Each structure stands twice: as C-alpha cells, then as structure tokens.
Amino acid sequence: MAKEMTYIGKRTPGLDERDKVLGNVIYADDFTLPDMLYARVFRATKPSALIKKLNVEKARNLPGVACVLTADDVPNNESISNVVGQTTEVGLLEAKHQVLVKNRVRYYGEAVALVAADTIDAANRALELIEVEYEEIPGVFDPIAAMKPDAPKLHGNNNIIAQWKLRKGNIEKAFAESDVVVENTYRTPRQEHAHLEPESGVAWVDDMGVINIRSATQVIEHYRDVAAVLGIPQSMVRIEGTIMGGAFGGKEDVTVEVFLGLLAWKTRKPVKLTFSREEMGFGRQKRHPYILKYKTGATKDGKLTAMEAEIISDAGAYVYLSPWVLLYSTVHSTGPYFIPNVKVDSFSVLTNNIMTSAFRGFGAMQVAFAYESQMDELAEKLNMDPFELRKKNFLKKGSETANYQKITSDVLLKESVEKALGALGEKSTSSGSKKIGRGFACSWQSYGRMTYLHDTSSAWVGLELDGSAVVRSGIPDLGGGQRESLRAIAAQILGLKIEEVHVISTDSQVTPLAGTVTATRALFMSGNAVKLASENVLNIITRTASKMLKVSAEDLYLRDKLVYTSGGESIPLVKVIKECAAEGSMPQSLATYKAPFTDPIKTDVIKDPVFADFTFGAQAAEVEVDTETGIVTILKYASAQDIGQAINVNRAEGQIEGGAAQGIGFGLMEDYLEEKGVPLTWNLATYLIPTSKDLPDIQSIILESKSGKGPFGAKGVGEPSITAAAPALVSAIYDAVGVRIKHIPATPERIYWSLHNSDT
Amino acid sequence: MNNFKFFKPQSFKELLDIKDELLSAGYPLAGGSNLLVYIKENMVKSGTLIDISSIEELKGINKVDGSIEIGAAETITNILESSLINRELPFFSLSLKDFGNPLIRNKATIGGNLADASPVADTAPPLLVLGAFVSVVSRSGTRKIPVAELFTGPRKNKLEENEVIQKIIIPIPLEGKGAFLKLGQRKGTSISVTSVAVWIESSSDKFRNIKIALGGVAPTPVRALNTEKAFSGKNIDRNSIKTFAETLRKDIRPISDVRGSAEYRTEVSINLLKRAVYECLEMEE
Ligand SMILES: Cc1cc2nc3c(=O)[nH]c(=O)nc-3n(C[C@H](O)[C@H](O)[C@H](O)COP(=O)(O)OP(=O)(O)OC[C@H]3O[C@@H](n4cnc5c(N)ncnc54)[C@H](O)[C@@H]3O)c2cc1C
C-alpha cells in the first residue's frame, strides 16, 4: 500500500460524475437495439377480485403486436418460497407469488398480462383492447382487521405472515418499580421510493441462446428468478446491471426482469420495458406503514427500566421482504439504549393494499420514530433535558442489546448529538403566530445483511502489463458512486492514480458475484473484497520485487507505478509485472470476503446476534411552525453520523444529505394514500416529496471512529442517514408549539388540528 | 399520441379559421402545462393541437387607456419580469411569484391558466379583485367577459367553441393596495390548497371598497361578496378583522380531497384572509 492516504478520506471526484452531469451515462431506458419491441404491462384495476374472463384476442390481432402473454403462457407462473426463521405460532411461512394473475387479483395494479409491440403506441393500444371481467370479492385493507380470525384471507388461512419477539428480563416487575411510565401509539406512512429513474430494462436472446437482460437493478442475482420462471438453467440467463438513477430499495425485488425475460424468450426479439411514473405509483412496492404501541418506563433519575412494544406492519398483498423488514424493526425497536427488561411482539400482516417491501431504512426507521418520541415524553415527565436522559442510557461498546448481541464498535452518540445540536448555532426567535422550536433524535441502524444469511462478496483484481489495474465486482451502482469507491480502494492499495484503475461491475456472467447493493452492505462487503484482492496482488508484486531488489517484501511499497524500498530505492512496476509473468505468478487475485456468520434463527424469539455491526448517529432541526396554517418551515438542519471512515467525503456527505432529505419527506409530507385499496396519490402531482424549496441547507457532519467492519474501519452510511430525521422534526415541532404528532407525516393539516383540538 | 393532429397557424386569422372549423376538437396549445398532462392521463384522447405560441396578436404587455393589457400567450415568467407591470401594478406580479416552479413559469401562459378554469388557477383571485376582463375573439367578432363571469364550473368556462382568449385587460386601480396569499402542502411546485387575494382601496380609517377573492374553496375561483360586505364601511381596527373574516364561511363551499379537508380549507382561508388584510394595511401580525 502507498504510505499515506492518497484517496481514502479525500474529496477526489469520481470518474463517472462528469458523465452524469453531461448526460453521457447510458441509463437503462437510454439503450436500444435494432428491431426492438416495446412492452407494457396490463394491470388490474380492482384490489380484490376474481378474474371471470380475460380476453386478449383483439389485442393479439392488432397490427404491430408481437405477443400478449397471460398467466397461461408463463412456464412457472406460481412460486413458493420458505422464509427463514418463522416458526411455531405462525407456521413455517410459505410465501406465494405469481408472475401474472391467474385467477385472483389481490391488489390494485397487480400485473395481469404483458404486451410487446413494434411501437410503444401499438403496445398502448393493445392494452386498451384487453378485456377483463372481474367478480369483486371481499378484501381487507386494515392490518388490525386483517389479524382477526374472520377476516378475508389473502393466502392460506392466516394473514399474519411473520411474527418476531424480544424477551429479556421481567417487564411486569420493572414497570411496577418504575417512577414514570409513558404509553403511546404511533403510526407511520406508506412511503414511495420516488427515485428519479423508473424501473427499466432491455432484454435479448444472444447467439448462444442466453437471455441477456440489461436493467436497472440492485440485485443482478435475479437472473436466478428469471431462470426459475422460465424453467431453464440459471446459466442461460445473464443480467447486466446499469448505473441507476436511484432506487432506495425500489429495485431490490424483481421489477422488469422476469417480464423482460418472458417476452424476449417468447418473441426472440429484443424488448424494452420501462415503467411509467404512474406504474411506479400503483404497480410496485412501498415502505410498510406501521402501527407501533410503545410503553417505556424509567426511574426518577432517568435510568430506563423496561420497554414493551407491539409492532404491526402492513405487508400488502404479497410477502416479499416483509418478514425480514419486520425482523429489523424488532431488533432495532429498543433504540440505541440499554434497557434491562424488554418484551416486544411484532407482526407483519397481509392486506389487499399495495405490497410493501424494501426501502432505505428497512424497518429500522419506523421504530426510530416511536422509540425517540418515547424518550422525549419520558424526559418531559421526568423534567429532565432530553439529551441528559439519553446520555444516561446510550449503548456503549461492549453493551448487550435486547437480542443478546454485544456491540463491537464505538458508539459515538453523545458526540453526534453535541455536533448536530452545535451546528444549529444561535436559536431564532418566534414572532406572532410563527413559533420556533428545536429537536434532535438519535438512531442506530445495522449495516450488512443478517449474519445468519452467511453473506459473502467476491472481487477480482489484476494488473495489466502497463501497470494499470482492472477490478471486477458484481456490485451494482445505485448512482451513489459504489463503483467509484471500489476504484479508490484499489488505487489506494496499489499506489495507482484513480484513472489508472478500471472497474467492471454488475454483470452476472462476467463479474464475480458480489451480492446486492442493499442493506448498506456494498462498501462493507465489496469494499472489503476489493481490498483483499488488491492486497493479494500487492503481495504478489512485492514478493517478486523483493527478489529483484534483494530486500524483504515488508520493506516495499508502491507509488506512481514504482516499487520503492524504505531506503528510497525504486524499480518500475512494469518491470516487476514482467518478472511476475515470467515466473508464472500473475499479479491477479480473486478474493471472497465473508461477513461474520451466525447460526440460523431457530425460534421467533430473537436471542442471538443478528447483525455484524451498527452505525450510530443523530439529527437535529430547528423549525418554524405557523400556528394559523400548520405549515412547518425547517430553518436549520444538521445530521451527524459516525461512519467509521469516509472513503470519499463528498459522496459520504451526499448520502447524509440525501438521507436527511428523504427522511424529512417521510416525517413531513410523504404518504401513499389508498381508499379501500384504490390508490389516490399515484403520481407526483398528488404524492408529494420535498422540493429544493422545502429543504433547508443540510449540514452533514462526519465522525470517524475507524471502528467499523468495512474497509479502513468504515461503517455504512446509506440507510443510517435517513433514520433519525422524522423523530427529530416531530420533536422540534413539539418544542415550538407543544403538540406531539404521533401519526406522521406531520402535514400542515395534522399539525393544525392538533393545535386547534378539533375532532375531525 | 397517434390520435392527435398538430397544426401551427401562421396568422391570427388562420387561427380563428381553424378554430371555427374544428370547434371543440381543436385545442389551442399554449404552454401545454395543462393540456399535455390531460393527454398523458387520457382525459383528452384525440383532436388537433393548435400551437398558438407564435401568434403576435396574443402577445405583448401594454398600457392602454388606464389598463394593462396582457396577451393571452404571455408566460408567467414574462409577467413576473415585465417592468411595466412591476411599475404600474406590482401586486399582480408579486401574486405570481409562487406559481409552479421556474420551468412551469417559463411555459405556462396567463390565457391557458384562465381557459383551463381550474378552481385553483392562481391568476384568478388577483384578477378577480382587480376587476379584470378577458377579451375573446372568434371569426364572428370580439367580446369582453369579466373574469368574474368567465368560470362556470370546475374546468368549465364561458368561451364558445370557436372562441379563443386574445388578451387580459386589467384596469389599473387609482389607489389602494393588494395582497395574495397562497397555501400549499409544500413550498415548491405547489398546487394551492386555498388562496386568498385582497384589494383594499381605503387609505382612511374605514374599510372602503374592499375586494376579496379565493381559489380552491368552491367549484370555481370566487369573489367573497358577503365577506366584502361585512368589512365594508366598518372602522379599521385589528381586532374586528378576524371577526369579519369569519363571514367567509358564508361565501365558500370547499370540498375534501387528497390535498386537504373542507374543514381545514375553511379555517385556514379565514386565517389567510385576516393576514392578507393586515398585509394590505401594513399592520404587524
Ligand atoms: C408541475 C406543474 C405545476 C403547476 N403549478 C401551478 C400553479 O402553481 N398555479 C396554477 O395556477 N397552475 C399551475 N399549474 C397548471 C398550469 O401550469 C397553469 O394552469 C398554466 O397557466 C396553463 O397555461 P398553459 O399555457 O400551459 O396552458 P395549456 O396547457 O397550453 O392550455 C390549457 C387549456 O387552455 C386552453 N387554452 C390555452 N390558451 C388558450 C387561449 N388563448 N384561448 C383559449 N383557450 C386556450 C387549452 O386548449 C387547454 O384546454 C401547474 C402545472 C404543472 C404541470
């Protein structure tokens, strides 16, 4: 490795940034092939119905239409997968999925048929010619109602599809001995990912008979899903990922890939499918809305004694990742606090609402709103400063969580709060009906997948004869610069300039599989894999060079394509590479990084470590609340996160800012509304996300404990940066006007009625 | 889009001829910021789009006989940047500063906003309190319609099938001061939940000739005549302003939708009216 940090912790621009600004990146929808067909999805317009008749003949006969596919045309239309860790009470979960509706529609927007035609206009007209007759059947739209035994069932005979528990100590006794107890019910919204780039891809069958799918996806491993649906070997499907224009978990489940695979397979022609903005609304998953009942106790000197919670998530009509999201919620439900007595019961429930699945924060975010609001309420009751109360209870390195997991890294929560609050500076003053308030919130969020999944990530690094390097890693790039961080790590270790490293990523048949760009694992896992492989290459070089220079290998380092001894002597790297080749020890390495492994979860009571590590942080806000309209203006905002080690400071700040912005949307305005399963806010005119005018100047504060499990001591930042935003805002609103919003988003209307005490 | 024809008339006469021929199947296309959305959402399925963006007779911002005349195809940006309007009637350009966003303001026209006849058209409340007219033209002639009579229902207006709006005529008030407050669910690119325009002519100690209009609280933008009466002739004192503003309940008929409940719209309209009056009178809140 180079002696000093050349790229790690710096602000070096990534090589792709210029191309993004200039519009040179070939995003999924920018790609076309000769003779390409255009596909559209025909979607159900009932939330709960049986299909009595489906007639696609007219659509099939329309000139220009290449094919119309229904469930009957899909080789393996239905699939069942078992979800790990579900046990006794609920029964082993059999998550059922269908590619296209066979008989029963379970949510508004469910895919019924696929069309491919010469032009997008012909495809659209074909959609209009598809005739479907529904028989509506009773649906269930409220998760609490869906838990009742007599509720209409979505699949099988139980709408509860997952249940997790935490059990620690004795809560009854602890509550009885507590000096104060607060009890509240909180609700969180159904958030839409609203990424700029829609789901999109192009598929074709190549001259070897392989189905190639070039798509915007967080998971190139979905080639396996395509193969399973078509009933062909996995080696006959290749997914080549593109740089994404955002995803936030929205491109984690299969989106266009299976549809594209089917259409290309049937037509033997290239096919493009891009979801419309409206389809992004009603055709795909959202963040789970939660109902959270919390009861928290403390002693009069501010020590937490006990916590009891019931957590219910609305899974929508299909299972997707709901059990795992719920597992995250359960483990994170205590907040980053040591609580000796804990009892948590959480449930994920099927309804005829739109399905819900992965979304930045992955279940750790909804509970943060609840546990932090509880801390504020306790502080109020104890007449104690909310920061003082938290300081008395923060987890520390070595503390044990409610799932009996030891914290192995530094916990810089106190420092994070101090920095975030400090960054707000002098408090503004209220005037007239406009009241100023301040609040902050803390959060913890795991990075890396659940350890019982035995996660691994592979990467290949090699040197060319001219000393430049090639990195191959399957990890997709969300647009956050995941690829660029790998480039920086290889350049750092091999003493190269960043432009001398080329990264080939996200191709399931060319790059070593690196796993998904989800779960805040990309840098942690792939960064470590590339670091390992680069170090292996470095060792090959220094071993050979040590023979050439007659010094010990430890004495050597690389810089500017020269191999140096500590004495300052050097030989050109290219000479060493030549020598390596002559010796037959090629300067290349395929390395696999393994995350910490734990045993599978055996019961629904979680009493073993589940995550590799956590990122801790705090966010703080100063708001102005207009008491006559309920409008909130964020005046100042700061987010401080201990990310262990910033690989690139600009990009880390980008994550922290983006997380805050999306978290502010979740806290103040975003909610995908449905009325009895029928979407009401399926476009961006009605589903509101913050604009540049709604967002404050977000101050991003990076703390570097260097104690993480990622490369160079890095922790993850992608998801942790969103988690504390909503409770910080709600706390600031409370400080301003004395009402606590327990049902977010804290819209102007909700705030107005809380202030004016109406029962509407 | 295959069901549409596109036509770009080269002269005002050609525009009037084609409109006369196509009637309601001919859609004047100004900025397209409403029309293209309707096409995309399948609310408008076929017809001829008549591009009016280069017709000189629909352009220009001029002072004519004590009025400001704004060509229907002038964009919101041009109005905001017009030195004539900023000098003679700054209230009107100030009213439009929160219209859509910069991209929309560069495309959206004042004629399109009025012809679209949305209950939340942001040019409407200010034009209502100013007593503005639209001048509409067809092959058979020209007529003036007060903005107060232009709207007949949500997205319905009084234009005949062969008519287009040529210009908007705003009499410049001799005295007084106006205020326009728009409340949305967010700050940028926001559609009004409710909006209130007020013009007060008085400079004495009594309310004289107060005009009030609102958007978003009835099937069309509306004047609040009962409320105007409640203020009229009364002494100006800050405490009674809130009481008079309560009269709004008689003037508005809001509905509940995803943007807000009827009750919320009512309550905040009253508060905004009070604030707008304070602003006109330069009273501290
Ligand atoms: C993102 C976004 C934000 C928006 N924000 C706002 C806002 O803040 N406030 C607001 O009020 N509106 C807003 N709108 C709505 C729209 O921008 C305005 O109504 C705009 O003024 C319409 O003007 P246009 O020139 O684009 O009309 P077009 O879309 O071209 O036309 C609208 C209608 O008027 C007809 N028409 C146009 N010109 C004439 C004419 N001269 N004579 C007769 N008929 C005519 C057309 O045929 C069509 O039926 C927004 C729209 C979008 C998409």
Side-chain angles (χ1 to χ4, degrees):
Chain A
M1 189 167 116
K3 275 191 157 167
E4 67 288 342
M5 287 299 191
T6 47
Y7 291 113
I8 304 306
K10 303 283 191 276
R11 290 183 180 273
T12 323
L15 297 190
D16 66 356
E17 283 155 23
R18 214 182 128 79
D19 284 333
K20 285 180 187 166
V21 174
L22 294 176
N24 291 339
V25 174
I26 302 166
Y27 287 102
D29 185 64
D30 295 333
F31 187 76
T32 47
L33 287 171
D35 260 346
M36 193 178 75
L37 302 172
Y38 294 83
R40 291 294 321 263
V41 184
F42 182 83
R43 296 180 178 278
T45 52
K46 301 280 175 219
S48 180
L50 299 176
I51 292 192
K52 290 277 107 181
K53 222 176 83 193
L54 176 63
N55 185 354
V56 298
E57 280 319 302
K58 283 186 197 151
R60 275 191 179 136
N61 294 332
L62 186 76
V65 169
C67 77
V68 179
L69 304 183
T70 66
D72 293 335
D73 304 303
V74 184
N76 296 307
N77 191 53
E78 286 181 36
S79 64
I80 295 174
S81 58
N82 285 330
V83 176
V84 199
Q86 294 300 297
T87 51
T88 45
E89 242 154 293
V90 180
L92 195 69
L93 179 70
E94 293 193 333
K96 292 193 186 70
H97 291 276
Q98 55 185 357
V99 177
L100 296 172
V101 176
K102 173 87 181 147
N103 297 310
R104 181 170 165 198
V105 174
R106 293 183 177 83
Y107 70 92
Y108 185 108
E110 189 163 6
V112 176
L114 304 173
V115 172
D118 290 349
T119 63
I120 193 76
D121 280 331
N124 282 329
R125 259 177 298 136
L127 290 188
E128 288 169 17
L129 295 177
I130 294 176
E131 295 164 339
V132 56
E133 252 174 55
Y134 298 105
E135 178 191 322
E136 292 194 55
I137 55 173
V140 59
F141 306 101
D142 169 54
I144 293 182
M147 289 170 83
K148 304 224 168 83
D150 57 346
K153 302 292 183 295
L154 271 287
H155 307 269
N157 50 18
N158 193 348
N159 287 330
I160 301 174
I161 41 139
Q163 178 173 334
W164 298 107
K165 297 171 180 162
L166 291 178
R167 295 287 184 269
K168 188 181 183 187
N170 178 342
I171 58 155
E172 282 80 19
K173 186 162 166 284
F175 278 125
E177 290 165 12
S178 298
D179 297 310
V180 291
V181 174
V182 294
E183 249 186 294
N184 286 295
T185 300
Y186 303 93
R187 284 169 180 269
T188 64
R190 183 183 283 113
Q191 191 178 20
E192 148 73 25
H193 305 76
H195 33 79
L196 202 55
E197 182 201 30
E199 292 72 6
S200 177
V202 173
W204 67 96
V205 181
D206 69 18
D207 52 359
M208 310 277 282
V210 173
I211 301 178
N212 286 253
I213 301 171
R214 184 186 188 276
S215 69
T217 179
Q218 296 176 249
V219 182
I220 55 173
E221 288 81 354
H222 285 319
Y223 71 88
R224 298 177 186 135
D225 298 275
V226 178
V229 168
L230 286 170
I232 59 175
Q234 292 183 351
S235 55
M236 295 304 280
V237 184
R238 168 185 178 190
I239 293 187
E240 191 191 332
T242 58
I243 288 235
M244 280 170 272
F248 312 115
K251 296 168 188 163
E252 176 165 346
D253 294 289
V254 168
T255 62
V256 294
E257 293 79 14
V258 167
F259 296 158
L260 279 172
L262 276 163
L263 290 165
W265 193 241
K266 292 278 175 183
T267 62
R268 297 276 151 174
K269 280 191 156 193
V271 191
K272 176 186 281 188
L273 173 59
T274 301
F275 284 1
S276 68
R277 186 55 71 176
E278 292 72 22
E279 252 176 324
M280 291 176 67
F282 53 71
R284 36 146 276 200
Q285 62 285 1
K286 308 279 174 270
R287 186 191 297 286
H288 297 77
Y290 271 56
I291 302 164
L292 307 122
K293 277 190 206 160
Y294 263 69
K295 181 175 174 187
T296 320
T299 62
K300 60 179 178 304
D301 54 356
K303 274 276 180 201
L304 293 177
T305 50
M307 185 194 107
E308 182 180 12
E310 186 189 70
I311 298 170
I312 297 169
S313 85
D314 180 346
Y318 288 91
V319 175
Y320 287 89
L321 298 169
S322 299
W324 289 354
V325 172
L326 189 75
L327 175 64
Y328 270 64
S329 304
T330 312
V331 172
H332 290 91
S333 63
T334 58
Y337 306 107
F338 179 76
I339 311 177
N341 303 285
V342 175
K343 177 171 182 277
V344 177
D345 290 273
S346 56
F347 306 88
S348 195
V349 189
L350 293 173
T351 64
N352 290 95
N353 295 322
I354 191 150
M355 70 278 196
T356 42
S357 191
F359 195 148
R360 186 185 208 169
F362 209 80
M365 186 176 178
Q366 294 92 336
V367 292
F369 170 53
Y371 63 67
E372 284 302 86
S373 296
Q374 288 291 95
M375 289 304 274
D376 279 0
E377 294 253 301
L378 277 176
E380 167 108 8
K381 265 205 167 173
L382 289 163
N383 205 8
M384 190 179 277
D385 177 77
F387 186 22
E388 283 308 308
L389 173 67
R390 284 169 171 85
K391 274 194 280 193
K392 288 174 194 278
N393 297 284
F394 281 144
L395 290 171
K396 296 186 212 20
K397 187 171 178 173
S399 308
E400 199 176 61
T401 66
N403 60 314
Y404 306 92
Q405 166 160 6
K406 280 229 159 50
I407 301 291
T408 56
S409 63
D410 294 343
V411 182
L412 301 189
L413 280 167
K414 178 172 156 287
E415 294 79 356
S416 299
V417 176
E418 278 165 0
K419 294 241 167 170
L421 280 176
L424 298 186
E426 199 112 316
K427 191 167 173 178
S428 315
T429 42
S430 302
S431 81
S433 52
K434 296 184 177 157
K435 311 288 185 205
I436 305 290
R438 272 191 180 185
F440 73 92
C442 302
S443 65
W444 67 328
Q445 172 120 28
S446 55
Y447 60 93
R449 300 180 79 194
M450 289 149 286
T451 43
Y452 68 78
L453 295 174
H454 295 200
D455 198 13
T456 61
S457 178
S458 300
W460 184 94
V461 175
L463 289 174
E464 299 288 352
L465 291 180
D466 64 357
S468 64
V470 171
V471 174
R472 292 194 175 90
S473 159
I475 200 77
D477 192 322
L478 278 165
Q482 280 76 10
R483 212 174 53 179
E484 296 306 314
S485 293
L486 302 186
R487 203 196 301 268
I489 291 167
Q492 176 75 50
I493 307 251
L494 296 170
L496 293 171
K497 293 204 180 65
I498 205 151
E499 54 275 14
E500 290 165 343
V501 179
H502 177 55
V503 182
I504 304 166
S505 72
T506 192
D507 184 327
S508 69
Q509 290 196 341
V510 171
T511 52
L513 291 182
T516 62
V517 60
T518 69
T520 310
R521 69 178 284 288
L523 174 68
F524 164 39
M525 299 296 295
S526 299
N528 274 329
V530 168
K531 185 161 178 279
L532 269 178
S534 302
E535 284 164 353
N536 291 343
V537 171
L538 179 68
N539 287 339
I540 295 169
I541 290 292
T542 53
R543 210 165 47 222
T544 302
S546 80
K547 285 185 250 164
M548 296 167 74
L549 286 161
K550 308 205 170 20
V551 292
S552 93
E554 287 84 75
D555 210 27
L556 297 171
Y557 66 94
L558 261 64
R559 202 176 63 203
D560 303 335
K561 289 198 194 171
L562 293 168
V563 182
Y564 282 93
T565 67
S566 56
E569 209 188 322
S570 69
I571 49 166
L573 176 61
V574 290
K575 272 197 169 167
V576 184
I577 295 172
K578 249 192 193 156
E579 183 61 23
C580 288
E583 284 176 356
S585 59
M586 301 307 292
Q588 62 186 35
S589 164
L590 174 65
T592 296
Y593 174 75
K594 296 189 183 90
F597 288 180
T598 54
D599 291 340
I601 296 182
K602 282 173 227 65
T603 72
D604 47 10
V605 181
I606 311 163
K607 46 187 185 213
D608 293 298
V610 177
F611 296 109
D613 192 17
F614 301 86
T615 298
F616 300 91
Q619 305 197 31
E622 180 177 292
V623 302
E624 177 193 88
V625 184
D626 182 339
T627 53
E628 293 188 342
T629 59
I631 299 262
V632 172
T633 305
I634 307 175
L635 302 176
K636 295 174 186 166
Y637 201 92
S639 174
Q641 306 290 329
D642 170 22
I643 61 170
Q645 166 70 54
I647 300 302
N648 182 297
V649 178
N650 288 343
R651 285 199 292 274
E653 286 176 351
Q655 289 300 318
I656 295 175
E657 268 179 40
Q662 201 162 33
I664 288 169
F666 175 77
L668 294 187
M669 64 180 80
E670 297 189 39
D671 200 356
Y672 189 83
L673 300 174
E674 291 189 316
E675 196 173 302
K676 292 212 173 300
V678 179
L680 301 176
T681 53
W682 40 264
N683 62 23
L684 292 179
T686 46
Y687 182 86
L688 300 184
I689 59 174
T691 68
S692 56
K693 281 183 99 178
D694 297 281
L695 291 172
D697 190 9
I698 295 159
Q699 304 182 63
S700 308
I701 301 159
I702 295 175
L703 288 85
E704 296 184 313
S705 65
K706 303 200 187 335
S707 67
K709 292 197 155 51
F712 307 97
K715 293 186 169 190
V717 61
E719 293 179 277
S721 59
I722 196 172
T723 313
L729 289 166
V730 166
S731 172
I733 293 167
Y734 180 79
D735 185 49
V737 293
V739 295
R740 186 170 303 285
I741 304 298
K742 292 177 189 161
H743 185 172
I744 49 172
T747 59
E749 178 156 3
R750 281 205 179 116
I751 294 172
Y752 183 87
W753 292 127
S754 309
L755 279 167
H756 298 276
N757 226 354
S758 165
D759 39 30
T760 27
Chain B
M1 281 295 283
N2 269 354
N3 308 333
F4 286 92
K5 292 207 183 81
F6 179 84
F7 184 72
K8 186 165 185 172
Q10 297 305 311
S11 69
F12 195 36
K13 180 175 176 300
E14 206 179 359
L15 164 66
L16 297 181
D17 286 347
I18 185 122
K19 189 66 180 129
D20 206 70
E21 184 189 324
L22 297 173
L23 300 174
S24 62
Y27 296 91
L29 175 70
S33 61
N34 283 130
L35 196 48
L36 294 184
V37 175
Y38 300 153
I39 292 172
K40 192 168 172 240
E41 295 193 346
N42 253 339
M43 291 157 67
V44 174
K45 292 191 174 144
S46 63
T48 300
L49 304 181
I50 311 169
D51 182 346
I52 60 170
S53 62
S54 52
I55 307 284
E56 275 315 306
E57 283 81 352
L58 303 182
K59 292 286 182 60
I61 301 178
N62 301 300
K63 189 173 169 185
V64 181
D65 301 334
S67 289
I68 290 175
E69 298 195 352
I70 306 174
E74 287 294 342
T75 63
I76 303 299
T77 298
N78 284 350
I79 295 171
L80 281 168
E81 289 175 357
S82 155
S83 52
L84 176 71
I85 297 177
N86 284 314
R87 188 175 64 238
E88 301 280 341
L89 194 51
F91 159 63
F92 190 57
S93 52
L94 271 176
S95 300
L96 302 182
K97 69 180 194 320
D98 293 328
F99 193 105
N101 58 38
L103 298 176
I104 290 293
R105 293 197 288 269
N106 288 343
K107 294 301 279 177
T109 64
I110 183 168
N113 194 244
L114 292 173
D116 186 58
S118 156
V120 292
D122 279 336
T123 64
L127 291 174
L128 283 170
V129 299
L130 289 167
F133 299 86
V134 290
S135 172
V136 303
V137 187
S138 71
R139 223 157 62 164
S140 18
T142 301
R143 60 185 182 127
K144 258 168 85 175
I145 308 175
V147 173
E149 289 167 23
L150 182 64
F151 311 115
T152 53
R155 309 214 181 272
K156 291 203 181 75
N157 64 36
K158 259 215 178 123
L159 296 193
E160 298 293 337
E161 288 188 327
N162 64 346
E163 283 178 329
V164 297
I165 302 178
Q166 187 189 1
K167 58 190 175 188
I168 289 79
I169 304 166
I170 314 173
I172 304 172
L174 296 176
E175 54 172 329
K177 221 173 160 308
F180 177 67
L181 298 176
K182 161 175 173 174
L183 180 122
Q185 292 168 286
R186 66 177 174 196
K187 297 184 197 309
T189 316
S190 124
I191 305 298
S192 296
V193 171
T194 165
S195 62
V196 180
V198 175
W199 184 269
I200 300 179
E201 219 177 86
S202 177
S203 48
S204 71
D205 54 355
K206 282 197 184 1
F207 284 107
R208 199 159 41 79
N209 277 343
I210 174 168
K211 303 250 168 40
I212 300 167
L214 296 96
V217 289
T220 66
V222 286
R223 276 275 293 278
L225 296 172
N226 291 308
T227 315
E228 289 178 8
K229 228 179 272 157
F231 276 94
S232 219
K234 305 281 168 45
N235 284 337
I236 293 182
D237 103 81
R238 59 174 300 127
N239 293 331
S240 49
I241 290 172
K242 169 95 192 177
T243 321
F244 300 149
E246 290 282 341
T247 319
L248 263 192
R249 293 178 202 282
K250 285 198 211 158
D251 285 315
I252 62 180
R253 287 183 287 142
I255 55 159
S256 296
D257 63 16
V258 291
R259 297 206 165 93
S261 69
E263 295 79 8
Y264 175 66
R265 285 192 157 102
T266 304
E267 301 306 317
V268 293
S269 297
I270 292 167
N271 289 337
L272 288 187
L273 171 58
K274 185 190 73 176
R275 258 187 208 172
V277 172
Y278 286 162
E279 199 180 307
C280 287
L281 300 173
E282 290 173 32
M283 282 184 175
E284 287 287 307
E285 227 201 278

